[in-house]
Amino acid sequence: MSCDRARSYLADQLDETKLVDARKEPVGPDDLGPWFRGRTRLLVAKGKKHQDHKLRGLSAEDKAALVLGPSGKRRAPAFIVGDTLVVGYHEEVYDE
């Protein structure tokens, strides 16, 4: 559901050719490396709250805890904007 809201909210800004369905191509803890490579910031949205983290200094376990859901797969929606990895849906974070 949050993926659909994110897609609607960002419709004008998304490149549909780069969208990946997390259900069809799940990302587990061993697959997170490329998502963090070259990134300096992590924005995590959960419900009405959001957190802003600098990736430098976070352990691999801390990063995984922030982006993996209860199933052990990467939470969705997730996307990269410049040097920032955004995980979850929160309009305020998206406006940033």
Side-chain angles (χ1 to χ4, degrees):
M1 180 181 295
S2 60
C3 288
D4 293 333
R5 287 187 298 192
R7 184 175 286 160
S8 293
Y9 192 78
L10 297 172
D12 297 340
Q13 302 166 33
L14 290 176
D15 180 354
E16 292 287 333
T17 61
K18 295 183 182 179
L19 293 180
V20 176
D21 187 329
R23 291 170 292 209
K24 294 179 183 175
E25 297 181 40
V27 175
D30 296 334
D31 306 315
L32 291 174
W35 285 89
F36 292 116
R37 195 168 297 120
R39 313 293 166 247
T40 60
R41 185 176 177 206
L42 172 63
L43 293 174
V44 180
K46 290 184 180 181
K48 295 183 180 192
K49 298 179 182 180
H50 65 277
Q51 303 170 337
D52 190 344
H53 299 275
K54 291 183 180 177
L55 289 174
R56 183 180 297 246
L58 286 179
S59 69
E61 293 81 18
D62 290 339
K63 292 176 190 175
L66 291 166
V67 302
L68 297 177
S71 68
K73 303 296 181 196
R74 192 206 64 227
R75 295 178 53 240
F79 56 93
I80 296 167
V81 179
D83 66 350
T84 302
L85 172 59
V86 181
V87 179
Y89 176 76
H90 192 285
E91 285 186 24
E92 185 178 315
V93 169
Y94 286 14
D95 287 339
E96 194 176 306

